[in-house]
Amino acid sequence: MVQQIEVGPRVRLNTDRVLHAAVSLADDVGIESLSMRRLAQELGVVPMALYKHVANKEELLDGMVGVIVGEIDPPVRDAGWRSAVRQRILSAREALLRHPWARQVLESRTNRTPAVLEYMDTFIGMFLAGGFSVDLTHHVMHALGSRMWGFTQELFQDPAGADTEGKAEVPPEVQAAMFQEMSTRYPKILQIAMAAKHDDGPVVGPGCDDQFEFEFALDLLLEGFDRLHRQDWTSARAKLVRG
Amino acid sequence: MVQQIEVGPRVRLNTDRVLHAAVSLADDVGIESLSMRRLAQELGVVPMALYKHVANKEELLDGMVGVIVGEIDPPVRDAGWRSAVRQRILSAREALLRHPWARQVLESRTNRTPAVLEYMDTFIGMFLAGGFSVDLTHHVMHALGSRMWGFTQELFQDPAGADTEGKAEVPPEVQAAMFQEMSTRYPKILQIAMAAKHDDGPVVGPGCDDQFEFEFALDLLLEGFDRLHRQDWTSARAKLVRG
DNA sequence: ACCTGAACACCGTTCAAGT
DNA sequence: ACCTGAACACCGTTCAAGT
């Protein structure tokens, strides 16, 4: 699991080492178990030593986000806006999927760190380079929202995730009872959940093809953006129509 | 600010009273300051007394979400799916806006409480009643994601929000320097930010019409859903095409 | 310049006891 | 049946001191 020990001459701490240690500690033990004290221990150092390199825990989290954002590929060159945007979002998605805690941290934070701003700036650049008006680009960015990072709120999240080991298996008869309960109380949820499972396999469990769902919504939006772009959509006109 | 005092015969605690006290405490002091101890104090009771009515803090948060979800209007009757969905989402949005902490709590949680399931079930029902296939409804729900709750990740969030009082005002010359810095490092962000401010007023500050942005993206999606629905879209066919 | 020790003001939660 | 007191094992962070 977590590497530690670290004998020999104590390596000098620096912000980068702190940040990367924090990232891999969060990868290993989960974000909820990441504390300044625990991180210090991992680095073989007293808690207060960290405060020379990050001002506080908030800044630590911002720095960790920065590390992950740094793993996202820059926009591909010489491609249309649509494929450039699509590829970059899917690259972001891959980076975020490597660090399951990152989604939550990204969302919980009002990020205006240089790394995040840099990402957004080049992101916006893809639309502008594709001939989008500044106006449309602005609204398009809002429409994407967190999808820009390659994720959306999952509808039917697995409970907690993390340690699947500790939890006792649900015995089949209890599972059947839960199923019964669901089908009478929430029949429609069950219906669409069953539809997803149909061609996959297990009736209960995470049978959704998340990647398909993500691309479904993404392409729907991209299609819409494209249409508006070709129509020379402006927000002023839209507001007029809306009244 | 926070009402407390509460003299006279101590009212008996119950889960409902605990939950509602927690909601209004979070409204008042912010979710990050909501602790079991603080809540107990607010109710004029020792911390441990709460544990007779909620199993732990997680369950408290789930219960608080339940209270907010209960404030969302049920689907309107005798309307087309599109207007029913639209109205309900905007009603959810109003409820969530009344409790600024709710968005974050909703997102941080793997909610499968009865209140949330009930909301989703009736939500799904609107599409099915509109003649959507179970298949399309499933994907459409994923595409909506957290937009179902009436919010999306805000692009340019105000830092932290909450106590605007304590923070010292940024002096104009510093503001100008920040502006300068932004325009050279993140020129495109500035461009689209300026576009938003154009007809509003202050150059810096929250000049975005959040409601417009929200409806812009929502209508783009609804439009897309409608098109797929009329084309008798199926995921099987879509996967075939995609390869 | 960087790290340490001890302390402060908090957390959520358990356990055994009170009425 | 409900509430209390005292305690446990944690937090993030400050301050003054060490090398």
Side-chain angles (χ1 to χ4, degrees):
Chain A
M1 284 274 175
V2 181
Q3 285 281 76
Q4 188 178 352
I5 318 301
E6 188 136 359
V7 240
R10 190 127 85 279
V11 196
R12 188 67 148 288
L13 234 51
N14 61 46
T15 310
D16 228 62
R17 231 162 74 74
V18 170
L19 258 30
H20 280 89
V23 164
S24 63
L25 183 56
D27 286 348
D28 285 345
V29 302
I31 195 71
E32 71 287 343
S33 301
L34 176 81
S35 69
M36 297 298 276
R37 298 174 109 106
R38 174 101 191 237
L39 176 58
Q41 182 188 292
E42 213 68 24
L43 287 161
V45 108
V46 94
M48 271 316 296
L50 300 175
Y51 287 80
K52 263 274 109 65
H53 304 99
V54 286
N56 49 39
K57 192 173 181 182
E58 294 284 282
E59 203 178 289
L60 177 75
L61 291 170
D62 281 341
M64 292 169 68
V65 167
V67 171
I68 272 60
V69 173
E71 295 180 6
I72 305 174
D73 292 333
V76 295
R77 311 199 115 271
D78 306 316
W81 67 267
R82 192 158 170 175
S83 114
V85 167
R86 198 170 194 283
Q87 283 182 62
R88 192 156 201 231
I89 289 185
L90 295 180
S91 161
R93 181 173 173 81
E94 281 166 34
L96 278 267
L97 286 177
R98 283 195 292 272
H99 308 280
W101 49 268
R103 192 192 72 93
Q104 195 190 127
V105 174
L106 206 47
E107 263 179 338
S108 72
R109 203 127 287 292
T110 60
N111 277 298
R112 289 206 251 199
T113 58
V116 166
L117 290 170
E118 222 279 313
Y119 179 75
M120 285 178 49
D121 200 62
T122 52
F123 203 101
I124 291 164
M126 290 186 284
F127 287 105
L128 296 178
F132 276 52
S133 72
V134 170
D135 179 31
L136 180 54
T137 301
H138 173 232
H139 299 291
V140 147
M141 288 294 291
H142 274 285
L144 276 173
S146 63
R147 222 175 291 268
M148 161 179 67
W149 298 110
F151 65 83
T152 4
Q153 173 88 336
E154 300 299 346
L155 261 197
F156 305 105
Q157 257 160 325
D158 295 308
D163 41 353
T164 331
E165 13 170 342
K167 303 251 162 90
E169 295 292 312
V170 185
E173 69 269 24
V174 176
Q175 228 167 304
M178 282 167 52
F179 189 87
Q180 186 64 38
E181 171 81 1
M182 282 285 288
S183 68
T184 62
R185 292 180 72 119
Y186 317 113
K188 290 155 205 144
I189 293 181
L190 206 80
Q191 256 185 91
I192 72 164
M194 295 289 286
K197 305 313 160 15
H198 189 261
D199 28 46
D200 289 49
V203 175
V204 187
C208 268
D209 184 346
D210 283 339
Q211 189 68 26
F212 179 81
E213 301 311 338
F214 184 81
E215 296 186 27
F216 171 80
L218 177 58
D219 291 334
L220 213 57
L221 284 169
L222 293 178
E223 180 66 32
F225 298 164
D226 193 32
R227 187 171 301 115
L228 294 180
H229 177 40
R230 287 194 317 251
Q231 291 169 3
D232 293 318
W233 179 95
T234 74
S235 59
R237 216 180 306 141
K239 284 182 185 181
L240 264 182
V241 171
R242 192 168 290 179
Chain B
M1 281 272 172
V2 181
Q3 285 280 73
Q4 187 180 356
I5 320 300
E6 188 135 355
V7 241
R10 189 129 84 280
V11 196
R12 188 67 147 287
L13 234 50
N14 61 47
T15 310
D16 228 62
R17 231 163 72 73
V18 170
L19 258 30
H20 279 89
V23 165
S24 63
L25 183 56
D27 286 348
D28 286 344
V29 303
I31 195 69
E32 71 288 343
S33 302
L34 176 80
S35 69
M36 296 298 276
R37 298 173 109 105
R38 174 103 190 235
L39 175 58
Q41 182 188 294
E42 213 69 24
L43 286 161
V45 106
V46 93
M48 271 316 296
L50 299 175
Y51 287 80
K52 262 275 110 64
H53 304 99
V54 286
N56 48 41
K57 193 172 181 183
E58 294 284 281
E59 203 178 289
L60 177 75
L61 291 170
D62 280 341
M64 291 168 69
V65 168
V67 170
I68 273 60
V69 173
E71 293 180 7
I72 304 174
D73 293 332
V76 295
R77 311 198 115 272
D78 306 316
W81 67 267
R82 191 160 170 172
S83 114
V85 167
R86 199 171 194 283
Q87 284 183 63
R88 194 156 199 231
I89 289 183
L90 295 180
S91 161
R93 181 172 173 81
E94 281 166 34
L96 278 267
L97 286 177
R98 282 196 292 273
H99 309 279
W101 49 269
R103 190 192 73 92
Q104 194 189 127
V105 174
L106 207 48
E107 263 180 338
S108 71
R109 205 123 284 293
T110 59
N111 277 297
R112 290 207 249 202
T113 59
V116 166
L117 290 169
E118 222 278 315
Y119 179 75
M120 285 178 49
D121 199 64
T122 52
F123 202 100
I124 291 164
M126 291 186 284
F127 287 106
L128 296 178
F132 275 53
S133 72
V134 170
D135 179 32
L136 180 55
T137 301
H138 172 232
H139 300 290
V140 147
M141 288 295 290
H142 275 285
L144 276 173
S146 63
R147 222 175 290 268
M148 161 180 69
W149 298 111
F151 65 84
T152 5
Q153 174 87 336
E154 301 298 347
L155 261 197
F156 306 105
Q157 257 160 327
D158 294 308
D163 40 353
T164 332
E165 14 171 340
K167 304 248 160 91
E169 295 292 312
V170 185
E173 69 270 24
V174 176
Q175 229 167 304
M178 282 167 52
F179 189 86
Q180 185 64 40
E181 171 81 1
M182 282 284 290
S183 68
T184 62
R185 291 180 71 118
Y186 317 114
K188 291 155 205 145
I189 293 181
L190 206 80
Q191 252 186 94
I192 73 164
M194 295 289 285
K197 305 310 159 20
H198 190 259
D199 28 47
D200 289 49
V203 175
V204 187
C208 268
D209 183 347
D210 284 339
Q211 189 69 26
F212 179 81
E213 301 312 337
F214 184 81
E215 296 186 28
F216 171 80
L218 178 58
D219 291 334
L220 213 57
L221 284 169
L222 293 177
E223 180 67 31
F225 299 164
D226 192 32
R227 187 170 303 115
L228 294 180
H229 176 40
R230 286 195 318 252
Q231 291 169 3
D232 294 317
W233 179 94
T234 73
S235 59
R237 216 180 308 141
K239 284 182 186 182
L240 264 183
V241 171
R242 191 167 293 177

